Structures are given as structure tokens and as C-alpha cells.
Amino acid sequence: MLLGGGLWFGSQMLKVREIFAANETLKEEGYYLAPFEFEMLSISYYLDTGAYRKGLTALNRVHTEMTDRGGLVKVPVFETPDEELAFYRRLQNPLTGAFYPNDTDPPVAFIGVTANMINLIERLSLEADRPFSLLYPLNFLESIATPETLEAMLDDVSRVGWVGRLIKPAFVSAIELQDLIEQDERLGFYGFSEDWKHAFYQWFYDNQDPETGLWGPRDRYTGAMLGGGDIGDSGKIIKMFVDTNGNNIHADMPLRYTDRIFASAISRLSTPIPEAPDRLHRWILDQDRGFRFLTKYVWKNATPAQKDTVADLLEHFVTTRFSLYYLPKDGAFSLYPHAEHPDLDGTSEAAGMLDYTGALSPSRQAALWGSPETTITRLERRTVAALDVEALAPIADRPDIISLRVYAEEPTANFTADVMAIYYPRQPLVRDTVELVQHLRHWLEKTEQTMGNWGTRDGIMERLSAIDIPLSTPTYGPGNFAALNATLEENRQLVAIGFDTLQVPRYLATFEKAGAGTQKP
């Protein structure tokens, strides 16, 4: 009996893994899959609460759709912003108002995907020069329209059994009510009352674990927080209470246990990468959320030793992402390891990584790792007949350097603008941000993908446009000195700055052409 039950359970988990594998291919083929992640949360909820017939029926339906493409919608090629806006607005469910196909699934599953789609429709409305509007009211919110029904829903979805321990519980979607609140305050499509919003924030404030400082689902029977909290969930919740500078948002709910938050997050970010595909998928997302909330929301509370530890962990994570998720031939990222093609969600997550590591903002980079005056070691100025292995050795042989950016003169503030060339002293795994952003932009311009489960093509382009980077910068690999020497010959002197894995400037060397005489003005 136990053997038979184990085989049966194994067959169901195989379906889950096949669904996630199909998701990668279907996104590349241009299918609309925005509700996919949230349908899996709904299935997890059914199975976890003992509604096995509903859960297995939904699992079989999603498996059939994702493997034979039955009932899936392909995103068409749009001729105008109006066409694109009209297409996505029509995806709203007229009965529930959610951007989710099934009427009878638990309303908590509707929240995250609807918030994501409202962000998209808001942006498309601006592009089409149309006022924001939805076709139908968000009727599903009426089931949690009072503080009492809201708290009952949060109590329900935050309690999990054995299935919720294996598959991400619906609690993660309930957290994203915060996104709907922010959107409603800006766009006015629903009208949450102040009492209701206070009850929402108060529930999460009261449900922080005092031992770890984290948030997460609890065991249905004991009420104990699983593992002391979940780093991915905490990364979404903490922004309810502090802004990106670590300042409290609610005077009556100041962020508590900051020392414990940092220690707990470091412990969880230190977990080894798992082998199972479904657990690996969750691991990469949790790592992203964890690093983001540490560097953006509680960084000012960290000790120097904690900052050094996070830097080491982050360097390992960045290297892992490039190793498993970056496709050099395309110049973009996948959400799944060793994939054949990149996708918008993987590329969106990678762009987010550049953001929270400070690579897209000189001011944020300085706040995290120190100003260039403190991070850069100035090497002795050198007069050389040519740039070669020996001439570049004082800077290129530094083990913490992954790339050199070459300038006509020393930059004063922005290290990504006016880059004349990029040189890799060793065959690169992690790419220099200047080269990477150029490749990402190129892939985004040519891909037919417009929207992933939570990342959009235009949204990623907007994030990358915040940094001043040339459209094209020549890149040279180890030993390729001819073009660099031609540039030195023309300019008579060059400045090379070495950057580490986190794209922090570490060393500066100035090279003057032997016999150059006075410097070029």
C-alpha cells in the first residue's frame, strides 16, 4: 500500500515537473501564460486542504493544456498600441473581474496575476494615450471586502499541511494584495477603505516571527512558522513597512527585529543549490527576493561583517546565475537552468539582479559597496610601447577582476558611459554590465515575446534605460590586443578600470604611449 501510494505521488510530482518544463517552451512560442504560476498555487491550496478531487482535476487540466496546447491563447503580433491594449483588456474574466480563467478557484489565486496585468494595462494605456480602465469590476474582492473576511482569508491561506511544504502555498499570492492597494490608490479602480488597509498591514505586522524576524506560512496544526519563515515571502512583505532607504512607512508599525532579519536572511541565502527542478525554481526566486530585500530595505542596519558576508554570497549567486541561466548566443537569460532559449521572466529577474546589486545606479552602488574613492586602488602610471600581457599584468592579473573598461580619460561619476572598449583578461563567465546591457537590449528588441508570467518586454527595457550605456562598445577577449593598441596609438593615453563580479570598480591604471610627448588635449 505504501509502495503504491509512493508511486502514485511520484506520478503527480512528475506532472508538476513536466508542466514547469512545458512552460519554458510555450513562452518561447508566444503563448499567453500569465495565470500559470497562480493556477499552480490554486492546485497547491486544494491538495493541501484535502480537496483532492478538485486539486487533481485542476492538475490534470493544466498538464493537458501545457503539454498538448489545448485551450491556450497565442499572443498575436500587434500593429498598434491600441490593438495590444485591447487584447490584454479582453483577458479579464467578466464574472470575477480577475485576469484568471477559472471562476471557481479560490479568490486568493486571482490576486497576483491581476495585479501584474493591471501594471501592464496601465503602461499600455499610456502608450496608446488612453485613460486607464478595466472592462469589469474586480468582483472577486467582494469575498474579502471587510476586515473580518480579509483576516479570515489570510489566516486560512497562511496555514499549510504537507502539500504546502512541497509546493509553494497560495499565501504568496495573498501578499500581493499590497500591489492592488498601491495600484488602487493611484488608479482608483476599486476603493479599499482605510480600515481595511490598516487591517491588512496589521495582520502582517502581527505575524512576523520574533525569533527570526521573517514571515512565512505556518503549520496548520501547530501554528508554528515553517522553518522560522520564508525568505521569498519576507522579501515581498518587508516593503509594506519600510521604503527602499530603510525608513519606516507606518508610524504605528515600525519595522522590528532588524538584527534578526539580517542574520536569518544570511542563513537562508547560504543554502546550497538543490538538484530537483521544482525546488531549484523556488530556490532561484527566493535567492532573488532575499538579496533584494537585504540590499534595498534593511541594508542600513547591517554591520560591516554582515555586509561582507552578503557580498560574498551575492558574488556566488551572480556567478551561478550566469553559469546556469545565461545564454551567450542570445545575450539574455532563462528562468530555468540550461534552457535552450531565453525568456522574459528570466531576463526580468536578471535585470532586477543588476538593480539590487547596484550595477544600474552609481548612487546605489556607492551606498552598498562604497564610493569609488574608497573602492578604487590607483596603480602606478605606466609608459608602454604597447599593451600586451606584461603591460596589463598589474591590473589584469588581479584575481578579483573580471573585466577592464577602457576610457580616453578618467570618468568622474558614471563608469558605464563613454566606455571605449571592454577587455576580459580571462574567458568570461560573468559579463561586464556594459556589454551585458547592450546584449539584453538587442535581444529585447528582436524577441517576439511581449509578456511573461510577471516580466514584460517594455518593462525590462524601461529598467535598463535608467543607465547611461553606449549602444555599442567593442569587446575583446584574452590576448586580443591589436584593437586596444590602435586605440592607444590614436589617443596617446588610456585609462583602464578593473571591475569585480558585482561590477564595483576596484583598480585604476593609466597607460601612456611611449614617445607620445605631450598628452592629447
Side-chain angles (χ1 to χ4, degrees):
M1 184 68 179
L2 290 175
L3 177 60
L7 291 173
W8 175 86
F9 177 73
S11 68
Q12 305 311 306
M13 291 306 297
L14 179 61
K15 287 181 182 178
V16 171
R17 291 171 181 172
E18 288 176 346
I19 287 170
F20 277 99
N23 181 51
E24 175 195 332
T25 302
L26 293 171
K27 281 191 293 186
E28 176 66 22
E29 294 176 2
Y31 284 94
Y32 170 74
L33 298 174
F36 158 70
E37 295 272 354
F38 303 93
E39 289 186 274
M40 296 304 293
L41 295 180
S42 177
I43 291 168
S44 172
Y45 176 83
Y46 282 137
L47 297 176
D48 206 45
T49 54
Y52 298 116
R53 183 185 296 274
K54 286 184 179 180
L56 294 175
T57 299
L59 179 62
N60 289 332
R61 174 182 53 76
V62 172
H63 183 263
T64 299
E65 289 177 350
M66 299 289 275
T67 52
D68 71 7
R69 295 161 173 75
L72 297 181
V73 177
K74 261 200 169 184
V75 179
V77 176
F78 304 108
E79 299 294 332
T80 66
D82 276 313
E83 285 184 10
E84 188 173 5
L85 175 61
F87 171 81
Y88 285 112
R89 289 178 75 226
R90 286 196 299 268
L91 294 173
Q92 192 179 12
N93 187 315
L95 183 62
T96 64
F99 288 86
Y100 187 95
N102 309 315
D103 304 337
T104 58
D105 281 351
V108 66
F110 306 169
I111 296 167
V113 65
T114 300
N116 291 345
M117 291 300 294
I118 286 174
N119 279 336
L120 176 64
I121 289 172
E122 180 183 15
R123 182 180 56 74
L124 292 176
S125 298
L126 289 172
E127 292 179 6
D129 196 23
R130 304 281 184 183
F132 174 87
S133 66
L134 299 174
L135 294 180
Y136 310 105
L138 303 187
N139 293 325
F140 73 92
L141 290 173
E142 293 305 302
S143 65
I144 52 171
T146 67
E148 293 74 22
T149 54
L150 168 67
E151 291 164 3
M153 183 272 286
L154 293 172
D155 286 339
D156 177 33
V157 300
S158 65
R159 298 295 199 272
V160 300
W162 67 274
V163 175
R165 292 171 178 265
L166 297 175
I167 306 175
K168 192 74 171 172
F171 177 59
V172 67
S173 193
I175 299 167
E176 290 165 344
L177 270 171
Q178 163 70 1
D179 296 333
L180 285 179
I181 291 172
E182 292 177 347
Q183 293 165 338
D184 183 54
E185 290 173 347
R186 186 172 64 252
L187 302 170
F189 52 75
Y190 184 74
F192 297 103
S193 71
E194 291 303 315
D195 287 346
W196 188 95
K197 288 188 282 189
H198 186 273
F200 176 75
Y201 295 125
Q202 189 68 55
W203 188 93
F204 283 99
Y205 194 70
D206 293 340
N207 278 274
Q208 184 182 14
D209 189 298
E211 298 299 321
T212 65
L214 301 180
W215 291 263
R218 296 178 180 273
D219 184 275
R220 176 167 290 111
Y221 305 104
T222 67
M225 190 170 289
L226 301 183
D230 182 275
I231 194 170
D233 293 340
S234 299
K236 290 175 174 288
I237 293 168
I238 199 167
K239 63 183 181 180
M240 298 180 189
F241 303 106
V242 290
D243 62 21
T244 54
N245 293 314
N247 300 315
N248 289 316
I249 295 173
H250 310 286
D252 58 337
M253 296 183 231
L255 183 65
R256 299 175 292 182
Y257 319 125
T258 54
D259 57 336
R260 280 162 262 182
I261 290 174
F262 227 98
S264 300
I266 287 175
S267 173
R268 283 154 177 76
L269 289 169
S270 303
T271 58
I273 187 168
E275 295 183 4
D278 50 334
R279 292 184 179 272
L280 177 57
H281 177 68
R282 182 169 177 175
W283 180 88
I284 191 77
L285 296 180
D286 283 352
Q287 291 274 309
D288 260 318
R289 305 298 182 265
F291 283 120
R292 182 175 63 191
F293 91 75
L294 282 184
T295 57
K296 283 198 166 187
Y297 299 102
V298 292
W299 193 249
K300 72 177 186 179
N301 301 304
T303 66
Q306 287 174 326
K307 291 181 179 181
D308 288 342
T309 298
V310 172
D312 290 341
L313 291 170
L314 198 44
E315 285 189 2
H316 176 70
F317 177 67
V318 170
T319 303
T320 299
R321 169 157 267 153
F322 273 94
S323 174
L324 300 182
Y325 299 86
Y326 183 63
L327 290 91
K329 62 183 178 62
D330 299 288
F333 294 81
S334 170
L335 189 62
Y336 299 97
H338 304 303
E340 294 185 7
H341 305 285
D343 56 62
L344 288 174
D345 286 329
T347 301
S348 176
E349 292 293 304
M353 179 184 73
L354 295 179
D355 182 29
Y356 63 66
T357 58
L360 297 182
S361 167
S363 60
R364 180 167 290 281
Q365 185 177 73
L368 290 173
W369 316 119
S371 65
E373 291 78 14
T374 62
T375 64
I376 292 178
T377 299
R378 293 178 173 272
L379 305 177
E380 183 178 351
R381 183 186 185 96
R382 304 197 73 192
T383 300
V384 297
L387 291 175
D388 54 21
V389 172
E390 182 180 356
L392 287 172
I395 186 169
D397 286 356
R398 306 278 175 169
D400 53 339
I401 292 305
I402 65 159
S403 64
L404 304 179
R405 295 181 202 164
V406 177
Y407 309 83
E409 56 186 41
E410 182 179 338
T412 57
N414 190 343
F415 289 83
T416 60
D418 303 319
V419 180
M420 301 181 71
I422 298 167
Y423 177 75
Y424 289 105
R426 293 163 289 279
Q427 197 62 38
L429 178 61
V430 175
R431 294 326 201 255
D432 185 282
T433 294
V434 173
E435 181 198 13
L436 177 64
V437 170
Q438 291 174 4
H439 287 321
L440 292 177
R441 286 172 176 169
H442 179 67
W443 179 78
L444 290 165
E445 287 169 356
K446 70 178 184 178
T447 184
E448 295 183 359
Q449 300 176 44
T450 59
M451 182 177 181
N453 292 327
W454 55 81
T456 67
R457 180 176 60 194
D458 291 344
I460 304 168
M461 284 290 277
E462 183 178 354
R463 169 174 268 169
L464 296 177
S465 67
I467 185 171
D468 185 8
I469 284 182
L471 294 178
S472 178
T473 301
T475 301
Y476 308 112
N480 192 345
F481 300 119
L484 290 180
N485 278 306
T487 305
L488 177 62
E489 185 75 36
E490 180 182 354
N491 288 270
R492 299 203 293 272
Q493 78 166 29
L494 295 175
V495 175
I497 298 179
F499 291 81
D500 66 15
T501 299
L502 298 182
Q503 304 299 291
V504 179
R506 293 298 181 186
Y507 302 94
L508 183 149
T510 300
F511 298 93
E512 183 177 357
K513 175 72 175 176
T518 58
Q519 295 181 8
K520 184 177 179 179

